[in-house]
Amino acid sequence: MNRTSTKREDTAIGGASMGGLISLYAAAYKPDVFGKVLAESPSVHMAGVDLWQGAAFNVNRWPDKVFMAVGSKEGFNSERLSSTFVEGVKRFDAWLPS
C-alpha cells in the first residue's frame, strides 16, 4: 500500500534565501510535479538584477499555491540593500500570474 501521495496537488517544494529561488525555479520547470511552493526570503533580486526575469520563468503553468514572505531587515546592515531586496520580491509577486 502506498501511503504517500504523488499527486501534484499534494506535492510541495520550499526553501529560504537561495533555496527559495531554487524552489521557485523547480516549480517553474516541473509544474506537473509541484502543486505548491514556499519561498521564504527568496533571492529573486541580487546585484541590481531581477533573477526571475528571462527564459527560466517563461512557463505556462505555475503551482496552484505560491507562498512568499520577506522581512524588512533581510540580513544586511544597509537599509538601502534590504529595501532593494524587499522591492525585488514585491516585483516578482506582482509578476506572478493570478
Side-chain angles (χ1 to χ4, degrees):
M1 175 192 278
N2 187 359
R3 294 183 178 209
T4 303
S5 174
T6 57
K7 295 178 185 174
R8 176 185 183 274
E9 60 269 14
D10 297 325
T11 304
I13 189 168
S17 192
M18 189 58 75
L21 180 63
I22 291 167
S23 296
L24 290 167
Y25 271 107
Y29 280 118
K30 295 290 186 177
D32 54 320
V33 174
F34 300 107
K36 302 171 189 147
V37 62
L38 165 74
E40 289 282 343
S41 303
S43 298
V44 295
H45 181 89
M46 296 180 75
V49 176
D50 284 332
L51 300 176
W52 49 270
Q53 292 181 330
F57 283 108
N58 186 15
V59 296
N60 295 327
R61 183 177 185 192
W62 273 90
D64 298 329
K65 294 186 180 188
V66 176
F67 178 84
M68 285 192 306
V70 63
S72 60
K73 297 186 180 178
E74 286 295 323
F76 298 111
N77 292 330
S78 167
E79 192 172 305
R80 180 185 62 79
L81 287 174
S82 184
S83 174
T84 300
F85 189 87
V86 171
E87 289 305 313
V89 172
K90 286 181 180 179
R91 280 193 301 278
F92 180 75
D93 181 56
W95 172 84
L96 276 172
S98 302

